[in-house]
Amino acid sequence: MRRLAAIRYAGAAFAGIATIAAAGGLGGYRINTTPSYPLGLWRIEALGRPATIGDRVFICPPRTPAFAMAYERGYIRRGLCPGRFSPLIKTVVAAEGQSIDIGAHVSVEGRQLVHSEVHRVDAEGRTLVAWQGGTVPPGYLYLHSDFAGSYDSRYFGPIPAAGLLGRAVPILTFEP
């Protein structure tokens, strides 16, 4: 009898969590558990225009070896984007036609980005390979986060703007 009650309770709890997750996903809400931006509840808000410099966005990463490695290392998680990756929260710092230089730091059109040190290894001592730099191609965005350990375009380069989900709006967040 107790076992049956426990099974029913577990089933009801699972159904409740699944319902909340589905409602959040349909309503454009996401929980950020990565330190690239404050932890907590965020909303994806339609932009209604192409992304511009300074927009903080949710964007689906493309299915590339760089993102497969990022998943294997735990930089990104599973989600509903193609390749089953979770969307990234990043800030657009360069767009089509802009020049990116990668050295010890990242420069866009000759101006060094704040908090853009390029690391040669991650927090666990694994090798990181920086993107070689160049011009952002048409239909692509160069993304950045001020968090020093962020896995952003410093390492994977510009990504297709077609993966843009919308503007990232914090709802209930906190800094760890």
Side-chain angles (χ1 to χ4, degrees), residues 66-100:
F67 284 106
M69 185 265 317
Y71 174 74
E72 289 170 11
R73 290 185 175 187
Y75 304 160
I76 61 173
R77 293 178 174 63
R78 282 280 179 228
L80 300 176
C81 290
R84 297 191 44 194
F85 299 134
S86 63
L88 307 173
I89 302 175
K90 302 292 178 203
T91 299
V92 178
V93 294
E96 179 178 321
Q98 291 191 291
S99 175
I100 310 295

Side-chain angles (χ1 to χ4, degrees), residues 142-155:
Y142 189 89
L143 308 169
H144 182 70
S145 167
D146 286 345
F147 173 65
S150 177
Y151 188 69
D152 55 33
S153 287
R154 287 176 269 195
Y155 307 104

Side-chain angles (χ1 to χ4, degrees), residues 95-127:
E96 179 178 321
Q98 291 191 291
S99 175
I100 310 295
D101 291 314
I102 308 281
H105 291 83
V106 176
S107 294
V108 176
E109 296 291 315
R111 289 183 321 220
Q112 184 177 307
L113 291 179
V114 176
H115 306 292
S116 67
E117 181 180 352
V118 177
H119 302 281
R120 302 295 172 209
V121 295
D122 68 10
E124 293 186 23
R126 298 172 294 195
T127 301

Side-chain angles (χ1 to χ4, degrees), residues 4 6 24 26 29 54 62 85 119 127 131 169-170:
L4 183 58
L26 293 173
Y29 291 92
F85 299 134
H119 302 281
T127 301
W131 180 61
V169 180

